[in-house]
């Protein structure tokens, strides 16, 4: 038994002793194999220029290329220190990365903003499961016209393509002393956060994702007015199921005052469903190709429009639906609510777009919606346009036709358009539709 225990101890000791050596080989091969980063649509690529492998620690140099639309690639020099000792949390190595732009001009511009001593670093823990966890910090900025508290970064990835990231900052302030800001203007934002998660599919696209950008408070002052916003949130989510792609954007505001007008509990969700996924992929890939041409000075505006014309029938072939549900806000005059959806039947858009096709598309669309708005809010808006006291008079013919209703000082109506027929508030409104289309 003692010999068995001793043998196990020896084996474990040998494994521990060999771990840094093995890690050095694994890391060298891993860096050499990195070309384009998954999920970036080839916007980021890595070129390793040097790797000095050691026992407990290795060092490497590489260059990160950021491919921006219609520009030459931005080159960033990376220096890596690889700590090859296993960690108690399960990591088998930790990579400490420091970066600086290879372009002296860009390097000077960063030094001007962040200072000569500022360092951009990233620490990445690597795990045997294929996952990683990276943390870093963007340096603070304190210069004429700009104050930035800095930002904490976090990125986690998994072997199956999953990712989670977060960026947090306490404060950003800009005033008229900053370059490009007009006289008398200033803006301050506090409590900034961006979190997102998703998964990179086998084809390199991020079809499934969700995230949220939030700001605790924001104040903006310009020569012609001021605005303040509390608890601003912009969320997004997307997913692919079989050959269909959908996405949605959700805006929420806790309280806001813009040019003296206040509202609270505001929200708007825009959702787009049933887009043909392959058409979305084709458009994205062709636009990326055109952007590469634009980087060399080519005029691609007409080519981009041609791509959209060519792919529009495929994009709309599955009968997409666009919906705003809900749009709502509370003002001093009361609650306003609106919902609207537009659905395009599958197979209506075929071939090269033309005027007849657009007319067929409009006739085939199905539109549903509803609106509730305080009468006092309409009167306030009319007064601001110099039409005080005219709202009820203007609404009277619509009420008489049954197209809208005014109940408890709230204007209400519904919209239903399908098969070329329009109903407002449950009453036929084809007469109004013909007038709008110029049919008399």
């Amino acid at each position: 038994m003692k010999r068995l225990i001793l043998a196990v101890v020896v084996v474990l000791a040998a494994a521990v002793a060999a771990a840094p050596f093995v890690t050095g080989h694994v890391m060298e091969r891993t860096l050499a194999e990195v070309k384009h980063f998954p999920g970036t649509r080839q916007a980021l690529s890595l070129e390793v220029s040097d790797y000095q492998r050691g026992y407990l620690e290795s060092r490497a140099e590489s260059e990160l290329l950021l491919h921006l639309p219609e520009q030459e690639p931005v080159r960033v020099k990376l220096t890596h220190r690889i700590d090859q000792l296993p960690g108690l949390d399960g990591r088998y190595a930790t990579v400490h990365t420091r970066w600086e732009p290879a372009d002296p001009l860009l390097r000077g511009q960063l030094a001007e903003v962040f200072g000569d001593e500022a360092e951009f670093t990233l620490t990445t823990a690597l795990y045997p499961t294929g996952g990683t966890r990276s943390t870093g910090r963007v340096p603070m900025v304190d210069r004429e016209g700009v104050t930035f508290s800095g930002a904490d970064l976090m990125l986690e990835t998994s072997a199956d393509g999953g990712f989670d990231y977060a960026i947090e900052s306490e404060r950003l302030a800009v005033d008229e002393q900053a370059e490009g800001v007009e006289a008398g203007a200033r803006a301050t934002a506090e409590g900034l956060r961006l979190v997102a998660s998703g998964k990179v599919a086998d084809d390199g696209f991020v079809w499934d994702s969700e995230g949220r950008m939030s700001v605790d408070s924001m104040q903006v002052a310009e020569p012609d007015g001021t605005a303040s916003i509390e608890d601003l949130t912009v969320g997004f989510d997307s997913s692919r199921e079989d050959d269909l792609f959908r996405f949605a954007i959700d805006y929420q505001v806790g309280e806001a005052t813009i040019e003296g007008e206040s509202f609270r509990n505001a929200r708007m969700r825009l959702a787009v469903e049933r887009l043909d996924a392959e058409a979305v992929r084709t458009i994205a890939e062709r636009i990326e190709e055109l952007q590469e041409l634009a980087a060399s000075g080519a005029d691609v505006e007409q080519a981009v429009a041609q791509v959209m014309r060519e792919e529009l029938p495929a994009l709309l072939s599955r009968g997409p639906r666009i919906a705003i549900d809900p749009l709502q806000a509370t003002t001093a005059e009361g609650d306003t609510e609106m919902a609207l959806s537009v659905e395009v039947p599958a197979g209506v858009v075929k071939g090269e777009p033309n005027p007849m096709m657009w007319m067929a598309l409009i006739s085939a669309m199905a539109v549903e919606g509803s609106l509730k708005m305080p009468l006092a809010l309409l009167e306030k808006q009319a007064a601001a346009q110099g039409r005080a006291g005219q709202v009820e008079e203007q609404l009277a013919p619509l009420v008489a036709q049954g197209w809208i209703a005014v109940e408890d000082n709230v204007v209400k109506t519904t919209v239903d358009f399908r098969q070329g027929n329009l109903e407002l508030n449950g009453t036929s409104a084809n007469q109004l539709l013909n007038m709008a289309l110029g049919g008399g």
Side-chain angles (χ1 to χ4, degrees):
M1 179 62 72
K2 290 182 179 179
R3 291 181 180 179
L4 178 59
I5 294 174
L6 179 60
V8 171
V9 171
V10 170
V11 171
L12 290 176
V16 172
F21 180 75
V22 173
T23 296
H25 279 277
V26 172
M27 282 302 304
E28 184 174 7
R29 186 177 70 250
T30 300
L31 279 176
E33 291 176 348
V34 173
K35 299 300 181 184
H36 297 287
F37 288 87
T40 66
R41 304 297 308 138
Q42 300 188 356
L44 285 175
S45 59
L46 187 73
E47 297 177 357
V48 179
S49 57
D50 183 51
Y51 195 99
Q52 301 294 327
R53 177 163 35 85
Y55 173 57
L56 297 178
E57 181 179 282
S58 296
R59 293 182 179 273
E61 291 185 359
S62 63
E63 194 170 57
L64 182 70
L65 278 71
L66 173 60
H67 303 270
L68 298 173
E70 304 181 17
Q71 296 183 32
E72 289 297 318
V74 176
R75 296 178 176 271
V76 178
K77 178 182 177 183
L78 304 177
T79 56
H80 314 276
R81 178 174 62 82
I82 300 102
D83 180 357
Q84 295 163 187
L85 282 173
L88 296 178
D89 63 353
R91 70 183 184 276
Y92 69 84
T94 304
V95 183
H96 305 275
T97 302
R98 182 180 183 276
W99 67 273
E100 64 177 355
D103 182 359
L105 177 60
L106 182 56
R107 188 162 59 245
Q109 292 173 340
L110 284 175
E112 182 180 347
V113 174
F114 296 100
D116 293 325
E117 304 300 321
E119 289 191 355
F120 296 83
T121 60
L122 195 67
T123 300
T124 304
L126 309 174
Y127 299 92
T129 59
T132 70
R133 178 180 173 84
S134 301
T135 57
R137 182 165 179 81
V138 177
M140 64 177 295
V141 176
D142 188 4
R143 54 174 298 193
E144 189 175 38
V146 180
T147 302
F148 177 54
S149 63
D152 293 315
L153 314 176
M154 186 282 295
L155 170 65
E156 292 183 342
T157 66
S158 59
D160 64 356
F163 63 85
D164 292 89
Y165 66 82
I167 304 173
E168 295 191 19
S169 179
E170 293 181 1
R171 190 172 188 272
L172 171 65
V174 180
D175 63 31
E176 62 184 357
Q177 299 301 316
E179 183 178 354
V181 179
E182 64 178 316
R186 65 181 185 279
T188 304
E190 297 184 348
L192 299 92
R193 288 174 295 277
L194 173 63
V195 296
S197 62
K199 185 174 181 179
V200 182
D202 294 338
D203 59 11
F205 276 73
V206 180
W207 298 104
D208 301 318
S209 67
E210 61 179 354
R212 183 180 71 258
M213 186 277 290
S214 61
V215 180
D216 288 347
S217 65
M218 181 166 57
Q219 293 80 38
V220 178
E222 295 179 322
D224 58 350
T226 62
S228 65
I229 300 175
E230 303 289 333
D231 298 325
L232 168 66
T233 302
V234 180
F236 64 88
D237 59 271
S238 66
S239 64
R240 175 175 178 173
E241 184 173 350
D242 297 327
D243 294 330
L244 299 180
F245 176 66
R246 56 156 294 277
F247 69 90
I249 306 175
D250 198 331
Y251 303 87
Q252 297 186 52
V253 174
E255 188 171 352
T257 300
I258 301 176
E259 297 183 357
E261 299 294 333
S262 298
F263 59 89
R264 56 188 172 84
N265 299 331
R267 179 183 176 186
M268 186 186 81
R269 179 174 175 83
L270 172 65
V272 181
E273 304 171 342
R274 300 199 296 268
L275 291 174
D276 184 85
E278 290 306 312
V280 172
R281 181 217 301 276
T282 299
I283 292 171
E285 290 176 343
R286 293 184 64 183
I287 294 298
E288 287 171 359
E289 293 172 358
L290 292 172
Q291 287 176 337
E292 291 180 5
L293 293 176
S296 59
D299 184 359
V300 300
E301 183 175 349
Q302 291 185 354
V304 170
Q306 180 65 24
V307 168
M308 298 305 300
R309 284 195 299 269
E310 292 175 356
E311 295 301 324
L312 185 63
L315 186 67
L316 304 181
S317 64
R318 302 305 187 91
R321 178 177 182 269
I322 303 173
I324 298 176
D325 188 11
L327 187 156
Q328 58 187 33
T330 299
T331 64
E333 291 75 26
D335 297 331
T336 295
E337 297 181 10
M338 188 191 82
L340 180 67
S341 69
V342 179
E343 185 172 347
V344 179
V348 174
V349 181
K350 296 179 180 179
E352 186 74 14
N354 58 76
M356 294 301 296
M357 186 192 72
W358 293 124
M359 291 299 296
L361 177 64
I362 292 174
S363 297
M365 287 192 311
V367 181
E368 294 182 306
S370 62
L371 173 67
K372 296 180 181 179
M373 179 178 289
L375 181 60
L377 182 59
L378 288 174
E379 292 173 341
K380 182 178 181 179
Q381 294 172 346
Q385 298 170 2
R387 296 184 292 106
Q390 301 179 24
V391 172
E392 292 192 60
E393 179 182 348
Q394 293 173 340
L395 292 179
L398 303 178
V399 173
Q401 290 284 351
W403 294 336
I404 67 170
V406 180
E407 301 174 0
D408 299 326
N409 292 318
V410 175
V411 179
K412 302 178 181 180
T413 192
T414 59
V415 178
D416 190 291
F417 175 80
R418 62 190 71 241
Q419 298 181 345
N421 293 307
L422 174 66
E423 288 188 356
L424 295 178
N425 202 37
T427 302
S428 176
N430 287 332
Q431 176 187 353
L432 184 63
L433 179 63
N434 292 334
M435 292 173 59
L437 296 176

